[in-house]
């Protein structure tokens, strides 16, 4: 299935736990993500080769909810504490067991500076 990615901008307070749960639905029906893997990267620009964070399902950071269609994104407070404040970009892709890759969402990933340390 080829789709146009959705656009969601995230705000990430530096030094705080970033914890978001999204539901992938088509016509208000959750998409079964059983057998899928996923990945998310945050970069300074779309063309930058360095990431400030790279998450995958399986090795950590992203949890797929099977038939519920949920996608959980979790970045620890100790990891976000190391993020430089600024306006970054990200995208999140899923891959079927058959190797079909779809970019579900993309957008800005804004890190606001932490005052309390």
């Amino acid at each position: 299935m080829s789709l146009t990615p959705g656009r969601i901008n995230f705000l990430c307070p530096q030094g705080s736990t970033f914890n978001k749960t999204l539901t992938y639905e088509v016509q208000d029906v959750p998409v079964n993500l059983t057998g899928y893997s996923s990945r998310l990267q945050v970069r300074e620009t779309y063309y930058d080769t360095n990431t400030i964070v790279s998450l995958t399902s399986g090795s950590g950071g992203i949890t797929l909810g099977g038939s519920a269609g949920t996608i959980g994104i979790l970045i620890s407070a100790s990891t976000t504490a190391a993020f430089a404040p600024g306006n970054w970009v990200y995208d999140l892709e899923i891959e079927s067991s058959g190797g079909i890759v779809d970019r579900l969402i993309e957008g800005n990933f804004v890190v606001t500076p932490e005052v309390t340390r």
Side-chain angles (χ1 to χ4, degrees), residues 1-6 22 24-26 31-33 35-41 55 57 62 64 71 90-106:
M1 157 183 12
S2 179
L3 33 111
T4 301
L22 311 168
Y24 177 26
E25 298 178 336
V26 174
V31 173
N32 187 345
L33 295 174
Y36 279 78
S37 62
S38 62
R39 56 187 169 263
L40 179 146
Q41 291 186 341
L55 307 174
S57 56
I62 300 177
L64 299 178
I71 302 167
Y90 82 95
D91 62 24
L92 180 134
E93 297 177 334
I94 59 170
E95 183 173 355
S96 73
S97 58
I100 304 297
V101 176
D102 280 305
R103 185 181 331 153
L104 287 185
I105 58 173
E106 62 188 13

Side-chain angles (χ1 to χ4, degrees), residues 62-80:
I62 300 177
T63 305
L64 299 178
S67 62
T70 58
I71 302 167
I73 304 167
L74 180 65
I75 307 172
S76 71
S78 61
T79 299
T80 69

Side-chain angles (χ1 to χ4, degrees), residues 6-58:
R7 184 149 186 94
I8 300 174
N9 295 324
F10 288 129
L11 180 67
C12 177
Q14 183 186 43
S16 296
T17 301
F18 182 83
N19 188 6
K20 303 289 181 201
T21 301
L22 311 168
T23 303
Y24 177 26
E25 298 178 336
V26 174
Q27 297 180 351
D28 296 326
V29 176
V31 173
N32 187 345
L33 295 174
T34 301
Y36 279 78
S37 62
S38 62
R39 56 187 169 263
L40 179 146
Q41 291 186 341
V42 179
R43 301 172 186 264
E44 185 173 1
T45 70
Y46 287 104
Y47 305 105
D48 198 342
T49 57
N50 299 317
T51 62
I52 66 165
V53 71
S54 184
L55 307 174
T56 61
S57 56

